Amino acid sequence: MEKNLNDVKYIRMDDYPHGKPQYHLNPMQVVNSWVKIFEEKKINYILGVSPLLLKIDDIIFLKNTIKNGKIVMHGFNHKFDHKGDWNTIVSTWEHGGEFMNMSEDTILQKYLESDKILSIFDSYDKTHFIPPFNCLTQELVNVLSESGVKYIHTCDKEYNEYNYKDIDFKNIEPIIAKYHKGYDHAHEVLKRMDNNDDLGQITLHWIFDCEFRDWLLNYERLINRLNEDTDYTRKW
């Protein structure tokens, strides 16, 4: 486990097994293609997993594949139970996304169920939590603060738009990625590295990146650049 976020850097990768229901991809095949690059270079990364979406094949795949990285909870079911057209999911974001209208009792029940599933992985790190869509509620934070979570990940776009500065994070440290800086497609992150921009927390979404030509080559380029920074390869 990491001792201090100032001592170790890592990439945040969201959306396993999926981030959008209408994508008909084989997540194991696509994720394996980039995980091999990350693992070979021993780059630190966290993979956001939505446990209530996992099937047996996903569990076997993750157990055999994620070694150097950490599996972290990425919500419970990524709100795949959303009613109606998936494109209307954006209307829930200002109200907490997956956690909209969810009581602390319900959140705790779903958290415990999800934590039990992820606990079968040796690489599971329960100190991190990635809320889907970067959206959260005070009720969620209240439950996580009593459940061993130390870091909750979001993005400055949602943090500012939804006034998360008013959230009482209690004993949890919010890790706020920078939208269109380190939070972007891999090829865009590479451009900003060339400009020596302050990237903050590098956050990628394989499910969107894989739509671009040469996306794996860009992942490899990014990892090779980060491999020069010992903070990304320091054992955590």
Side-chain angles (χ1 to χ4, degrees):
M1 299 294 184
E2 62 187 287
K3 292 180 290 186
N4 188 297
L5 287 177
N6 294 321
D7 296 331
V8 178
K9 295 179 182 177
Y10 52 88
I11 293 175
R12 166 187 159 190
M13 181 73 79
D14 288 6
D15 296 338
Y16 191 90
H18 278 301
K20 295 181 73 173
Q22 64 266 43
Y23 277 120
H24 302 292
L25 301 171
N26 181 331
M28 290 176 283
Q29 180 180 354
V30 181
V31 169
N32 188 58
S33 64
W34 64 259
V35 164
K36 287 193 298 185
I37 299 171
F38 284 45
E39 292 282 339
E40 286 173 1
K41 295 294 185 178
K42 299 190 183 303
I43 289 289
N44 295 325
Y45 66 97
I46 58 175
L47 174 61
V49 174
S50 303
L52 300 186
L53 298 180
L54 295 180
K55 300 176 181 178
I56 292 298
D57 287 349
D58 294 307
I59 292 173
I60 295 171
F61 167 72
L62 292 173
K63 284 180 72 72
N64 292 333
T65 306
I66 309 301
K67 302 297 183 182
N68 193 65
K70 303 289 186 184
I71 289 174
V72 306
M73 195 181 298
H74 186 30
F76 312 133
N77 68 357
H78 211 289
K79 204 166 177 58
F80 271 31
D81 55 358
H82 177 66
K83 308 300 182 186
D85 187 335
W86 179 256
N87 291 325
T88 65
I89 193 74
V90 297
S91 66
T92 70
W93 292 357
E94 65 178 310
H95 306 293
E98 181 176 342
F99 314 103
M100 180 180 72
N101 297 329
M102 199 177 288
S103 68
E104 289 188 24
D105 286 344
T106 300
I107 292 171
L108 179 59
Q109 178 185 357
K110 290 180 178 290
Y111 176 84
L112 292 175
E113 180 182 2
S114 298
D115 181 64
K116 183 176 180 179
I117 294 170
L118 295 183
S119 292
I120 68 175
F121 299 112
D122 292 337
S123 54
Y124 174 42
D125 186 342
K126 68 182 298 176
T127 64
H128 291 261
F129 187 92
I130 305 174
F133 323 114
N134 303 303
C135 296
L136 48 93
T137 64
Q138 184 65 63
E139 289 80 6
L140 172 69
V141 173
N142 292 345
V143 171
L144 297 181
S145 69
E146 298 295 329
S147 302
V149 173
K150 296 181 180 178
Y151 311 105
I152 189 165
H153 295 260
T154 185
C155 178
D156 58 4
K157 177 176 177 290
E158 289 75 22
Y159 188 92
N160 294 329
E161 185 171 351
Y162 304 135
N163 295 314
Y164 290 159
K165 61 179 175 53
D166 295 333
I167 292 281
D168 178 7
F169 285 96
K170 301 181 182 295
N171 56 344
I172 297 177
E173 178 181 351
I175 308 299
I176 306 170
K178 297 181 177 182
Y179 189 61
H180 284 169
K181 290 291 185 180
Y183 190 107
D184 210 334
H185 300 296
H187 61 276
E188 296 293 347
V189 174
L190 280 166
K191 291 178 185 177
R192 296 187 187 102
M193 291 179 74
D194 290 338
N195 294 333
N196 294 316
D197 288 358
D198 180 10
L199 301 178
Q201 170 75 69
I202 294 179
T203 302
L204 304 174
H205 296 77
W206 64 271
I207 199 166
F208 301 124
D209 279 335
C210 71
E211 297 177 333
F212 289 91
R213 182 181 177 181
D214 296 332
W215 73 281
L216 275 179
L217 180 59
N218 286 324
Y219 271 33
E220 189 167 5
R221 288 170 175 160
L222 177 61
I223 295 308
N224 285 335
R225 291 283 295 274
L226 296 179
N227 201 47
E228 300 170 2
D229 185 342
T230 57
D231 287 340
Y232 278 97
T233 57
R234 188 177 302 163
K235 194 68 176 176
W236 56 351

